[in-house]
Amino acid sequence: MNPQDPPRPGDKSPAWHPDTLAVRQAVERSPFGENSEALYLTSGYVQPSAELAAKRFSGEEDGFTYGRYGNPTVASFEQRLAAMEGTQAAIGTASGMSAILMMCMGLLQAGDHIVCSRSMFGSTIKLIGSDLARFGVQSSFVAQDKLSEWQAAIAPNTRLLFAETPTNPLTEVCDIAALADLARQHGALLAVDNCFATPALQRPVAFGADIVMHSGTKYLDGQGRVMAGALCASEALVREKFLPVLKSAGMTLAPFNAWVVLKGLETLQIRMQAQSAQALALAHWLQAQPAVCAVHHPGLASHPQHQLAMAQQSGQGGAVLSFDVGGDAPEQARARAFAVLDRLQLLSLCTNLGDTKTLAAHPASTSHGRLTEAQRQAAGITQGLVRVAVGLEHLDDLRGDLQQALCAL
Ligand SMILES: *Cc1c(COP(=O)(O)O)cnc(C)c1O
């Protein structure tokens, strides 16, 4: 903020690779010269003059004014994430869901229409399909992988297409470039929830997406410590559409959480590579287990969009897999899934993902528990489905624990 301050690392070498930016991109150091990024805990900022305060509050000049509007630690996280996603700017939020709320509040008004994949994150479906509907925002939910359904759902009032790829928990993949074309043809924007792949494996703007949405709670933190979220987009969208919502609605990212996630970004690349490799190895092993009737992971050749996933993502398909233990009736399938989950000794029974600890969950009764049975069926979330977010424990130990748990069946 001060012209005498040293330039930002990114300004010196804009051609640095994403791995370097993940470690180096941040706001300038304070005059103390700290090497590790500082955590600034302050709700207000002392202004050099009333004149400058007025200019900062009006947005005529850059500068921090009040904690709800901005913070240097949060700004470091935003700059680093934007550099990694390849967008001009980013804006941090208190959680992934508040990022989605900010996006919808910034871009939509009563009477506008949004098209989403019907296999999106459970709370996303609830927020857009129910809560925003009360404010007059119309929505359609379509099959993630069927471009014709996205096309058919578009109406003259469609402003936004919103996809998640790979999806939670079935790891369905959609063609980002094709959706970006479709959005452009109809004067709409494309937003992509990039929680599962992260910029370490997939950069949606490289395929034409306008907005990348994140839950920082997941892989960006990487160790299951804090809630955080972000939208990455052009400077114009961030400044003109999202920042005004942040200022009035206050879904601000806490500086401490921003600092945790900022440091998490430094190891994102190696964690994603290692955890994806483990997930693919476990997925292959699960396919050979007699008690398992289906395994979902984009790295498997049997995955319906395997080719597309490999073209759109680097790495081995991400760290989340799910598997189905089957069952004749829904109640029986649920009992089978519960039996496996309750026998786990190493894997945590925990409805979260993106941790270095491997987590297992029953989507139908937790992350997707608030959906109606019809919505769940449309999304393909069966009662026998178990999701595993693979961490960094030794593969033999993970396999051993799953093997003894599957003996319950
Ligand atoms: C967790 C998650 C969200 C919501 O993020 P929170 O930080 O929990 O609010 C959105 N999308 C996906 C794919 C997620 O996994």
Side-chain angles (χ1 to χ4, degrees), residues 305-316:
Q305 297 108 25
H306 174 66
Q307 299 295 342
L308 173 63
M310 294 301 104
Q312 208 166 252
Q313 292 174 226
S314 59
Q316 287 165 299

Side-chain angles (χ1 to χ4, degrees), residues 147 161 175-188 190 207-209:
L147 196 62
L161 309 190
D175 189 335
I176 302 174
L179 286 182
D181 277 347
L182 192 62
R184 213 167 299 117
Q185 282 163 27
H186 293 86
L190 172 66
F207 300 93

Side-chain angles (χ1 to χ4, degrees), residues 256-271:
F256 177 76
N257 293 7
W259 180 78
V260 170
V261 182
L262 173 71
K263 301 305 283 178
L265 290 177
E266 296 182 3
T267 54
L268 182 67
Q269 181 69 35
I270 56 172
R271 281 189 283 109

Side-chain angles (χ1 to χ4, degrees), residues 94-98 100 121 124 164 166 168 193 195-196 213-218 227-229 352-353 387:
S95 66
M97 291 318 301
S98 59
I100 299 175
F121 187 64
T124 307
E164 185 183 310
N168 175 27
D193 180 332
C195 286
F196 269 46
M213 174 259 146
H214 273 289
S215 166
T217 318
K218 310 293 168 55
M227 302 293 300
N352 188 18
L353 57 99
R387 183 186 78 190

